Amino acid sequence: MSTKNNLDPTSFTPKHFLWNYDNGLATITLNIPERKNPLTFDSYAELRDTFRDLVYCREVKAVVITGSGNNFCSGGDVHDIIGPLTKMDMRELLDFTRMTGDLVKAMRHCPQPILAAVDGICVGAGAIIAMASDLRYGTENSKVAFLFTRVGLAGCDMGACAILPRIIGQGRASELLYTGRIMRAPEAERWGFFNRLCSPEAILEETQTVARDLVAGPTFAHGITKTMLHQEWNMGIDQAIEAEAQAQAICMQTADFERAYQAFINKASPLFEGN
């Protein structure tokens, strides 16, 4: 596999969402506000490809994903996606469901922490994108629903049956996936889906502040943390402890580790550089 990076964060101009890059932090904004920012075939694919490219983009240290117009994402577009799906054969349907699942895989495998700033509607595939992020921040207006069952589909979409129980617990995840009901903001925070709630006016800024703190940290080590959080789902405890021993030994070879030590003995704050 080539490690050539095709994503220049300073000049990247995606066709199906907004992109802002500022000093290590990339912000992705879903931007069809008149329809609550639905996903289309093209935006699914472009998001997937973007997160795949971020694996090799060292300039980007953290990613915030949000939506415009006081909503996060209303899921798959009814006219662009749902209607055409009813006319596809099995092979075409499987191509589509694998493609949407590949977006989640790309989000989990890119080393940068992904933070979701969720205001308003966050349903269907939008709820999946929030779920697949590493950290999630909501507002009192946030409404999260894995509503696949409401359109006659199973709740097992894009990894929901694997990931959601690990965030909020098996019983709570089962309830949401069976019923498709809305999980409102206080419940989502109490259950651990949201790390915290912010005011609607400040959610993007507060999420970006957390992201900038991560950007200023030991970003190579953050990538290792994300990798181990993902990989250890499929490990026994002994295997996980050994894997973490190897991962931490790698981090002890970094210049950031030496910088932190030198800063400590000089009673200063370390300035990390991600190497």
Side-chain angles (χ1 to χ4, degrees), residues 11 40 56 112 123-124 147 194 223 237:
S11 61
T40 66
Y56 305 109
Q112 296 88 345
V123 300
L147 44 65
F194 287 137
I237 188 64

Side-chain angles (χ1 to χ4, degrees), residues 14 41 47 64 84 96-97 101 137 150 160 170 175 183 204 239:
F41 289 116
L47 284 166
V64 169
F96 169 73
T97 54
Y137 300 90
R150 293 193 178 186
Q170 183 80 10
E175 180 187 345
M183 176 173 55
L204 180 57
Q239 185 183 10

Side-chain angles (χ1 to χ4, degrees), residues 1 13 38 67-68 71-72 80 96 99-100 120 146 151-152 159 175 191 193 195 234 237 239 248 267 274:
M1 178 183 294
T13 53
S68 62
N71 288 292
F72 185 71
D80 185 84
F96 169 73
M99 185 267 286
T100 61
F146 299 82
V151 295
E175 180 187 345
W191 284 7
F193 187 82
N195 293 83
N234 297 317
I237 188 64
Q239 185 183 10
Q248 201 71 298
K267 298 182 179 180

Side-chain angles (χ1 to χ4, degrees), residues 68-82:
S68 62
N70 302 316
N71 288 292
F72 185 71
C73 177
S74 57
D77 186 271
V78 172
H79 301 293
D80 185 84
I81 291 182
I82 307 302

